[in-house]
Structure formats: C-alpha cells, structure tokens
C-alpha cells in the first residue's frame, strides 16, 4: 500500500493550477462530518477538505478483520477504483491514507444517496419508467466497463448504487463498494462468494462457477425493484428466498406491472434466467428494445471491449504515483 500507481485525473482547479496528491495525515487535511453508510468492514463518513471546502466521502477500512490481514482486499478495491478513474459510472478515488490500523479511501461524494431509498412501491414517489431506463442505461454502462476489464462486481443492489443528485430526473449514478468484486481470470474458477440474498444468482447458491453473467442476474432483480419497489424473490427467511431463486419463482402481478410496458417484463425475463450463459450481457442489454425505446438521444456509444475510457468524459490524465499518506 506504500505506493499505488494510479491514473491521476489532473483536475484544473479554479486558479488554473493542477491539483496534486497531498502529503500529511487525513485529519489535518479533512474534517469529518456525518456517517453515510457502512460497507462490510468499513464505515463511511462525509468529510470536508479544509483548504478547498470540497466534500468527499471517507471510507475507513480496518486492515485486520476477524484476525485476518485484509490488505490484499483493500488493495484490490483500490486497484479497481484506480482502473476506473476515467469511467464516470464508477465512484471516483481521490486520495488514500494509511494508519497502523486502517486505510482511508477518500472518495467522490454523491449527494443523492443510495438508489435504494428511491425504490418504493408508492407510484407517486417511485421512479417513472423513463427514469428507470435512464438510470439503468448508466448502470449498464458502468457494468459493461467493469466486465470489459474482466471484473465482476458481485454485489450489485440498490444500496450500492448512488445518485449524484436528489432530483432523480436529472441525477446520474455511481457504482460503489467493490469489497467482494473479483477479477475473473481465464481458467480460474471462483465459487465461494456470498452476495446479498435477494440479489444472488442461482449459480452462487449451487456453488457453481461465477461468471460476469452473475452480475446480469442481479441487474434483472434490481430492475424489478426499481420499477415496483418489490424484491421479486424475497421470502420470510433466507432459505425461502434462496428457494424462490433456484425455482425461478418470478411473478409479474397485474397490479405491479399494469402501468409498465411489456418490454420491461421482457428485459427482466432476459436476465433472470437460471442458465447463466443464456442471460443478456451488459452490452446486449444496452441494445434491448426497452432501453432503446426511451433513449431520446442515441444510447451512449457502447464501448468496444478494448476501449477503456468513456467517450463523454475525457480527462487530461497522466500516470503518477499516488503516495499513500502514512501517519
Ligand atoms: C449522500 C450519501 C448517502 N448515503 C450513502 N450511503 C452509502 C452506502 C454504502 C457505502 C459503502 C461503500 N463504499 C457508503 C455510503 N452514501 C452517500 N454518499 C456517498 C458515498 C460515497 C462513497 C462510496 C463511499 N460517496 N458519496
């Protein structure tokens, strides 16, 4: 963790200079504010950079969890974030600090909060279908980017998707929490992952190999929740939920879907497929009639697999070493 090579997004700050990573310790540079949320073994607090008055989110991650040294997990999350510094759909990493007991990731602040709080059954307060498609399109762009890097998120759910504004019709999304994300290297089988019960794919329950398509199942569930505020497989117990998933007990009740287009149902049914190989990929989802139907402007050009920057936001970047501020 001493030296982490990152693409340093050189932002030109108001006075025209280029901001660099600073020395010193976290609390001398930032004041901490309210708690925003908690990851697996982390607490996240809103913070303010004293010099610039800019808000960030500081993720305090303990280096030892349940007696295990978790530096590698933390470094993996930093590596994923540093590889995504050019993709606006993933939360930005600003600085990293390390103390004897924890690593502090200073992350981009998204003021709209968790997508979860907007997924409600009440038609008045919930998303309209057009909002769902616009936000879903961005989620798919972010997931397509991760998948093009052979990274599976493995914990896609409304709590791990943030909005940049409380005004949902104008807000963008940011994917967060790569705590259980994995690089899926050729020939290496991964089976032992536990995501969040309501969103886990059947292969996780069966200890079958995990693939990038495991994320696509979760996006199908997420779509259902965004449209209806209802978690489609949720049971009274974890076991009941798992049974609903493995039996594909997926119901499209008239009262919940009467106001939604048939393409929405087709989209969900193209993702919540037991056979992972038969699910649409993120790229195929972006071309689905439902997503295309609401795209007034042409869908953001879907990146070719070998492209690694988003087209709409190019930054003057340069590689620089992100010095870990050790105190
Ligand atoms: C206004 C706000 C409200 N609620 C949360 N919740 C939340 C959920 C999960 C995690 C777990 C994680 N990671 C952390 C916070 N984050 C917010 N803003 C953030 C949060 C962040 C970065 C991701 C921390 N930037 N802006």
């Amino acid at each position: 963790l001493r030296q982490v090579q990152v693409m340093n997004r050189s932002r030109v700050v108001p006075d025209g200079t280029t901001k660099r990573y600073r020395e010193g310790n976290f609390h001398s540079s930032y004041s901490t504010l309210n708690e925003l949320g908690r990851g697996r073994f982390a607490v996240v607090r809103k913070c303010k950079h004293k010099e610039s008055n800019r808000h960030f989110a500081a993720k305090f991650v303990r280096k030892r969890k349940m007696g295990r040294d978790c530096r590698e997990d933390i470094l993996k999350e930093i590596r994923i974030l540093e590889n995504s510094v050019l993709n606006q759909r993933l939360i930005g990493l600003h600085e990293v600090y390390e103390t004897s007991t924890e690593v502090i990731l200073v992350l981009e602040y998204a003021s709209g909060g968790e997508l979860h709080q907007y997924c409600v059954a009440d038609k008045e307060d919930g998303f309209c279908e057009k909002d769902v498609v616009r936000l879903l399109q961005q989620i798919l762009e972010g997931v397509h980017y991760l998948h093009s890097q052979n990274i599976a998120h493995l914990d896609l759910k409304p709590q791990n998707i943030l909005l940049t504004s409380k005004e949902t019709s104008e807000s963008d999304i940011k994917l967060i929490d790569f705590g259980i994300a994995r690089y899926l290297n050729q020939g290496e089988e991964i089976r032992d992952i536990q995501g969040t019960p309501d969103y886990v794919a059947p292969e996780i329950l069966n200890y079958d190999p995990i693939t990038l398509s495991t994320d696509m199942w979760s996006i199908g569930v997420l779509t259902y929740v965004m449209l209806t505020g209802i978690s489609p497989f949720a049971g009274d117990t974890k076991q009941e939920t798992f049974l609903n998933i493995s039996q594909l007990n997926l119901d499209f009740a008239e009262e919940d879907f009467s106001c939604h287009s048939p393409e929405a149902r087709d989209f969900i049914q193209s993702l919540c497929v037991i056979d992972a190989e038969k699910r649409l990929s993120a790229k195929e989802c972006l071309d689905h009639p439902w997503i295309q139907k609401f795209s007034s402007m042409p869908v953001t050009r879907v990146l070719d697999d070998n492209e690694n920057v988003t087209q709409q936001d190019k930054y003057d970047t340069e590689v620089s070493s992100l010095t870990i501020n050790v105190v």
Side-chain angles (χ1 to χ4, degrees):
L1 267 176
R2 290 282 173 242
Q3 199 80 16
V4 175
Q5 284 287 344
V6 288
M7 296 290 283
N8 170 18
R9 188 188 301 171
S10 307
R11 288 178 177 281
V12 178
V13 292
D15 65 5
T17 59
T18 297
K19 187 179 173 315
R20 292 272 173 219
Y21 290 101
R22 299 176 190 284
E23 297 301 323
N25 78 12
F26 174 80
H27 294 287
S28 60
S29 301
Y30 295 86
S31 46
T32 49
L33 305 167
N34 54 298
E35 181 176 314
L36 294 170
R38 287 176 177 265
R40 265 168 183 64
F41 299 94
V43 177
V44 179
R45 303 178 68 87
K46 185 176 180 180
C47 61
K48 186 161 80 171
H49 187 248
K50 292 175 184 173
E51 191 182 321
S52 65
N53 275 333
R54 283 175 63 198
H55 284 123
F56 292 91
K59 183 170 183 178
F60 298 82
V61 190
R62 291 207 322 275
K63 289 197 281 189
R64 290 193 67 78
K65 301 157 194 169
M66 298 191 292
R68 194 171 72 84
D69 183 344
C70 297
R71 277 166 167 272
E72 269 318 300
D73 299 348
I74 300 167
L75 198 58
K76 180 198 62 190
E77 181 164 9
I78 292 174
R79 200 179 298 128
I80 289 172
L81 288 168
E82 74 189 18
N83 282 340
S84 316
V85 73
L86 290 174
N87 189 295
Q88 290 299 294
R89 303 306 180 211
L90 281 72
I91 201 79
L93 173 64
H94 183 64
E95 280 189 296
V96 179
Y97 290 81
E98 182 177 10
T99 70
S100 57
T101 56
E102 59 189 1
V103 174
I104 306 165
L105 307 185
V106 181
L107 296 157
E108 178 182 1
Y109 179 68
S111 61
E114 299 167 26
L115 180 67
H116 182 60
Q117 65 193 42
Y118 302 89
C119 296
V120 293
D122 176 350
K123 300 279 180 280
E124 300 312 309
D125 300 338
F127 287 122
C128 69
E129 190 166 310
K130 188 172 171 59
D131 281 343
V132 171
V133 169
R134 190 180 66 80
L135 295 173
L136 206 50
Q137 194 175 345
Q138 293 191 11
I139 294 166
L140 289 163
E141 287 167 358
V143 171
H144 173 69
Y145 174 80
L146 283 173
H147 288 182
S148 70
Q149 310 291 312
N150 241 354
I151 298 168
H153 184 286
L154 300 178
D155 201 12
L156 290 171
K157 57 184 178 180
Q159 295 87 332
N160 282 341
I161 296 165
L162 298 181
L163 296 187
T164 55
S165 152
K166 290 184 171 56
E167 182 40 63
T168 53
S169 59
E170 293 159 17
S171 179
D172 293 322
I173 65 98
K174 298 285 179 183
L175 300 182
I176 64 167
D177 204 345
F178 301 87
I180 60 171
R182 302 293 284 265
Y183 280 93
L184 301 184
N185 303 314
Q186 301 305 332
E188 181 191 324
E189 277 198 355
I190 295 173
R191 297 165 184 258
D192 64 332
I193 289 283
Q194 264 308 328
T196 304
D198 288 26
Y199 296 85
V200 292
E203 55 268 26
I204 289 190
L205 305 181
N206 302 331
Y207 284 95
D208 288 333
I210 285 160
T211 66
L212 298 176
S213 299
T214 302
D215 280 337
M216 301 317 296
W217 172 283
S218 305
I219 290 176
V221 179
L222 172 68
T223 304
Y224 192 109
V225 172
M226 289 173 76
L227 286 169
T228 66
I230 298 164
S231 181
F233 298 109
D236 294 335
T237 64
K238 215 192 282 192
Q239 283 61 35
E240 248 186 55
T241 301
F242 290 165
L243 198 61
N244 288 334
I245 291 166
S246 52
Q247 292 178 344
L248 193 59
N249 292 339
L250 183 58
D251 177 41
F252 293 90
E254 186 57 28
E255 63 190 295
D256 302 322
F257 278 85
S258 56
C259 59
H260 295 306
S261 55
E263 293 90 344
R265 173 172 176 157
D266 179 77
F267 181 86
I268 294 167
Q269 287 177 315
S270 303
L271 293 174
C272 291
V273 179
I274 297 291
D275 182 347
E277 292 179 2
K278 293 194 168 71
R279 295 171 203 153
L280 294 184
S281 68
K283 192 165 183 177
E284 288 163 341
C285 283
L286 285 163
D287 294 331
H288 187 278
W290 185 46
I291 301 293
Q292 291 291 322
K293 169 180 181 178
F294 283 94
S295 298
S296 46
M297 71 293 266
V299 169
T300 311
R301 189 165 69 81
V302 176
L303 304 180
D304 299 328
D305 283 344
N306 58 356
E307 282 186 62
N308 60 7
V309 291
T310 51
Q311 297 308 310
Q312 71 271 32
D313 291 287
K314 274 195 182 299
Y315 282 83
D316 298 333
T317 59
E318 55 189 357
V319 176
S320 74
S321 63
L322 167 63
T323 306
I324 308 297
N325 301 288
V326 182
V327 290

